Amino acid sequence: MDNLWIWVVAAVVVAVAVIVGVVFAVRGRSTPPVEAPPEEPQVEDEPQPEAPETAAAKAAPAAPAVETPEPVAGRLVRLRSRLARSNNALGKGLLALLASDRLDDDVWDEVEETLLTADVGMADTTAVVERLRERVKVLGTRDPEELRGLLKSELTAVLEPDLDRSIATASPSGEGPAVILMVGVNGSGKTTTCGRVARVLVAEGKNVVMGAADTFRAAAAEQLETWGARVGAKVVRRGEGADPASVAFDAVKAGAEDGADVVLVDTAGRLQNKSGLMDELGKVKRVIEKQGPVAETLLVLDATTGQNGLQQAKVFGEVVQVTGIVLTKLDGSAKGGIVIAVQRQLGVPVKLVGLGEGPDDLAPFEVGAFVDALVDGTES
């Protein structure tokens, strides 16, 4: 009997243990442990593709800024102080001589020497001195202001103020662009002057094309392109050693096709004693004229060369019909009389003068402003 109770109790214990195990197992499945939520991954902003035009803008080199040239009107007046500093010795020296207590032959000889030293030339010097002597004698004056007025009057007269000094900007035929041929010897600043003339014309509202027909000097075409880029002027060029006449022809053709107002043709710096090179310059002009007449031929002269510049002018005048003179480096010369001499001996007007190194230091020649600077100096 006792054994029976033991087995009953054991069975009950086992049954309770089984029931408890089942209950805990069921609870474990229905309520899983709470875990910390996983961290959300950090999402980085994806780079946006560049717009096509932005990428292209970064790849392409920046275009040079197109400049607005200084207005041409009154440019010589604005540059008067530079001209006065370089040529002041001529005007002041003449006034000092004329104001002497005695105007005898020795004084007049000094006046003549002063004019000759300034490269006025013998014929014009003689004419100016004779007229001054006569007028001073008749008036019997020693007044500085009256003498200043007499000197200005004589210098103005010999500079022929009525000559047409405008730059041709219309074709003589009435069709196509006006062609301006730039000629001159090496070292006169011809290519630089060509670029400055382009600035003068652009400042007057003209559409300009330039032809780099100086194919013998490697840097000439690059130099001209730099000038053209600064004012938005197209430059026609070929490789070094190309036929200059062909380049000139192409430039005129391009100017006509583009509707340009003016075509500037820069030629090689010719040595006036080299007949072959001068003949080639004649060829350039003839080839250009197959498309139309040349409107203007500007001879670039270095003002510091004096009488040698006059010889250059004569030779160029024999090869091409020079219509105007551009005097460069006048600011660095005390020989302002070259303006008188070259104009009188060649029979064509000085149209432009270079008075500095700046891009807009090329000025239309104005007789009144020139004489004022020559005689009055820097007085205001």
Side-chain angles (χ1 to χ4, degrees):
M1 191 67 178
D2 292 335
N3 290 335
L4 177 63
W5 280 107
I6 292 172
W7 283 107
V8 170
V9 172
V12 170
V13 171
V14 171
V16 171
V18 171
I19 293 171
V20 171
V22 171
V23 169
F24 277 103
V26 170
R27 286 183 178 179
R29 285 197 301 268
S30 60
T31 57
V34 179
E35 297 181 359
E39 295 184 0
E40 295 184 3
Q42 298 294 325
V43 179
E44 297 182 358
D45 294 334
E46 295 185 2
Q48 299 296 322
E50 292 184 346
E53 60 271 14
T54 304
K58 288 185 177 180
V66 177
E67 301 173 5
T68 301
E70 183 179 302
V72 175
R75 192 179 284 185
L76 186 59
V77 175
R78 294 193 295 275
L79 299 173
R80 172 180 164 178
S81 61
R82 299 181 189 178
L83 183 61
R85 283 196 299 270
S86 61
N87 296 313
N88 200 21
L90 173 59
K92 295 298 183 185
L94 289 175
L95 284 174
L97 290 170
L98 292 174
S100 300
D101 293 335
R102 295 180 57 188
L103 283 177
D104 54 20
D105 289 343
D106 290 340
V107 172
W108 286 113
D109 286 345
E110 289 185 52
V111 171
E112 186 173 284
E113 183 179 350
T114 301
L115 290 171
L116 288 173
T117 303
D119 278 335
V120 172
M122 179 58 76
D124 290 309
T125 294
T126 301
V128 168
V129 170
E130 287 181 353
R131 286 195 297 268
L132 271 175
R133 291 188 70 164
E134 183 64 26
R135 295 182 69 180
V136 170
K137 180 179 179 180
V138 169
L139 294 174
T141 183
R142 290 293 185 273
D143 180 74
E145 287 305 313
E146 288 187 12
L147 290 174
R148 188 188 302 269
L150 290 176
L151 182 56
K152 283 186 177 183
S153 175
E154 291 303 325
L155 291 175
T156 298
V158 79
L159 281 167
E160 301 180 76
D162 294 332
L163 290 176
D164 181 9
R165 301 178 193 276
S166 61
I167 304 297
T169 56
S171 173
S173 67
E175 298 180 359
V179 179
I180 299 178
L181 195 61
M182 305 291 297
V183 301
V185 300
N186 291 320
S188 62
K190 180 178 45 53
T191 299
T192 296
T193 300
C194 187
R196 289 178 175 173
V197 171
R199 292 181 69 90
V200 168
L201 296 173
V202 169
E204 294 178 342
K206 305 300 180 184
N207 182 3
V208 179
V209 169
M210 292 190 284
D214 182 355
T215 59
F216 296 105
R217 190 164 60 91
E222 287 78 5
Q223 186 179 355
L224 205 62
E225 282 198 324
T226 299
W227 281 101
R230 293 173 70 174
V231 292
K234 180 178 180 179
V235 175
V236 176
R237 59 175 293 187
R238 285 189 183 178
E240 184 179 352
D243 179 27
S246 297
V247 177
F249 184 90
D250 290 345
V252 177
K253 182 179 179 182
E257 292 173 348
D258 294 349
D261 299 304
V262 179
V263 175
L264 287 169
V265 179
D266 180 35
T267 61
R270 313 289 165 174
L271 297 175
Q272 73 274 13
N273 58 345
K274 303 293 184 180
S275 59
L277 292 177
M278 297 303 288
D279 290 343
E280 186 176 317
L281 179 58
K283 175 188 173 184
V284 169
K285 184 178 181 182
R286 290 192 300 273
V287 169
I288 289 175
E289 289 181 331
K290 291 181 179 180
Q291 300 183 77
V294 172
E296 184 103 72
T297 300
L298 296 177
L299 173 60
V300 181
L301 293 177
D302 183 338
T304 64
T305 60
Q307 295 298 312
N308 185 48
L310 297 180
Q311 296 303 316
Q312 297 171 9
K314 290 179 181 178
V315 174
F316 277 99
E318 294 170 0
V319 178
V320 291
Q321 186 179 357
V322 175
T323 58
I325 304 294
V326 182
L327 274 177
T328 64
K329 307 177 187 178
L330 193 60
D331 61 315
S333 170
K335 299 187 174 183
I338 191 65
V339 177
I340 298 171
V342 70
Q343 181 174 281
R344 300 273 282 184
Q345 292 197 27
L346 198 60
V348 296
V350 172
K351 294 193 172 186
L352 297 161
V353 289
L355 298 169
E357 299 297 326
D360 293 320
D361 287 349
L362 186 71
F365 183 69
E366 302 166 22
V367 173
F370 178 79
V371 172
D372 285 345
L374 208 61
V375 177
D376 295 338
T378 57
E379 296 177 6
S380 57

